[in-house]
Amino acid sequence: MKTRAELSRRRFLAHGFGATCALALSGCDALSRTEWLPKVLEAGEKLSAVAQHLVAPRRAMAQEFTEQDLSPHFRSNGTSMPANPQYLALAAGGFADYRLAVGGLVEKPASLSLAELRALPSRTQITRHDCVEGWSAIGKWRGARLSALLEAVQPKPQARFAVFHCSDPKYGKDPYYESIDLEDAFHPQTILAYDLNDRTLPVPNGAPVRLRVERQLGYKHAKYVMRIELVENFEKIRGGKGGYWEDRGYEWWAGI
Ligand SMILES: Nc1nc2c(c(=O)[nH]1)N[C@H]1C(S)=C(S)[C@@H](COP(=O)(O)O)O[C@H]1N2
Ligand SMILES: [Mo]
């Protein structure tokens, strides 16, 4: 359980300009010197996305690092063991029966085993994970390119977002979920990671599959992904804000 102080710190950090600039990006420094932009940023997440376009084009790559930069230990945050009997049964069987369901607004819904996911075109990347709670870690991730998976299932023209449904009920209640737009979904560094630091992804970091969406803050990187749903909007999904923390006040746009 998070203490009240931790939760309010999360909320504080998740709001507005703080989340965008907490990581001391030089672009943000330059922007904060202009008078109008901080006001614009306070106006909401859509405008934060606009500001992000000003400092970096959407196709820009997140910084990548070398083996020497790896953190000695990649910590776990949030759920470290989903309290879900179905998940525990899958884990006990080494995830042999795991299937990733892909559906919603797609022409060819699919259900993939881990072997099938591993057979998709992959990418390996050493990147820095930044959590709004005030810590960072550098890890080496390997996973299936989400673009390859989406090309296989063929998004329908109305599809605008990919929603990641996870297996962990937070605080014994609502399952974690997250979403990204299709521009981020097709970005080359967006992968469904199954390895961390050259080993099978450990349970505390989201086994068997977790999202890496490198130009976004930590909470967007959904762990324990069971189902991907393509949607036009978030109207019918849980709190309607596109993510577990977003439903509780975080910004949907967490670009860094
Ligand atoms: N399913 C699920 N995904 C999640 C979370 C979670 O609690 N459940 N926490 C998020 C947060 S806030 C962070 S910082 C990262 C932590 O990833 P790590 O455990 O590999 O450090 O996972 C994100 N994805
Ligand atoms: Mo986080």
Side-chain angles (χ1 to χ4, degrees):
M1 280 293 282
K2 293 266 176 288
T3 64
R4 268 194 129 131
E6 274 175 295
L7 283 170
S8 56
R9 174 176 158 76
R10 293 184 73 109
R11 285 204 187 101
F12 170 76
L13 285 167
H15 276 285
F17 201 50
T20 315
C21 279
L23 303 151
L25 290 177
S26 52
C28 288
D29 279 338
L31 291 174
S32 60
R33 280 197 287 275
T34 73
E35 265 194 15
W36 59 275
L37 202 68
K39 285 194 204 98
V40 169
L41 285 165
E42 279 161 23
E45 66 199 30
K46 291 219 174 64
L47 291 168
S48 289
V50 170
Q52 207 268 359
H53 276 270
L54 293 178
V55 293
R58 286 297 296 278
R59 301 303 293 176
M61 301 286 274
Q63 187 179 0
E64 294 194 15
F65 299 80
T66 67
E67 304 262 344
Q68 284 77 47
D69 302 315
L70 288 174
S71 301
H73 170 68
F74 199 100
R75 61 169 281 186
S76 166
N77 199 48
T79 303
S80 56
M81 171 62 84
N84 173 340
Q86 281 162 336
Y87 179 87
L88 296 176
L90 283 175
F95 299 107
D97 295 330
Y98 170 84
R99 292 287 181 284
L100 174 67
V102 191
L105 296 173
V106 300
E107 300 291 351
K108 298 181 171 174
S111 167
L112 291 91
S113 66
L114 280 175
E116 288 167 331
L117 263 180
R118 283 184 180 269
L120 285 174
S122 69
R123 189 171 198 279
T124 303
Q125 56 206 30
I126 300 178
T127 52
R128 193 187 61 217
H129 177 102
D130 298 306
C131 171
V132 292
E133 286 179 86
W135 60 274
S136 298
I138 293 178
K140 178 179 181 182
W141 304 96
R142 180 178 177 84
R145 292 174 184 262
L146 185 56
S147 60
L149 177 58
L150 292 179
E151 275 155 20
V153 298
Q154 298 176 12
K156 292 185 176 175
Q158 318 91 280
R160 291 187 57 209
F161 303 99
V163 180
F164 302 83
H165 296 279
C166 308
S167 76
D168 53 323
K170 295 289 283 182
Y171 311 118
K173 290 169 75 189
D174 305 331
Y176 200 90
Y177 78 102
E178 256 305 339
S179 62
I180 58 176
D181 61 25
L182 287 196
E183 199 166 342
D184 252 340
F186 278 98
H187 187 276
Q189 288 170 313
T190 301
I191 59 173
L192 294 169
Y194 41 68
D195 289 343
L196 169 58
N197 295 339
D198 296 318
R199 305 176 73 167
T200 306
L201 184 64
V203 168
N205 302 105
V209 173
R210 70 98 51 87
L211 177 67
R212 293 301 308 171
V213 48
E214 302 295 353
R215 299 170 311 161
Q216 302 264 342
L217 290 169
Y219 62 89
K220 303 296 284 187
H221 300 235
K223 304 194 283 188
Y224 318 112
V225 178
M226 305 303 289
R227 182 163 64 93
I228 302 177
E229 181 185 13
L230 271 75
V231 298
E232 189 172 359
N233 57 55
F234 307 128
E235 255 168 37
K236 296 197 181 86
I237 300 172
R238 306 205 172 268
K241 297 277 178 17
Y244 176 85
W245 286 113
E246 287 86 334
D247 286 340
R248 288 153 181 83
Y250 275 44
E251 285 187 79
W252 178 79
W253 180 256
I256 52 179

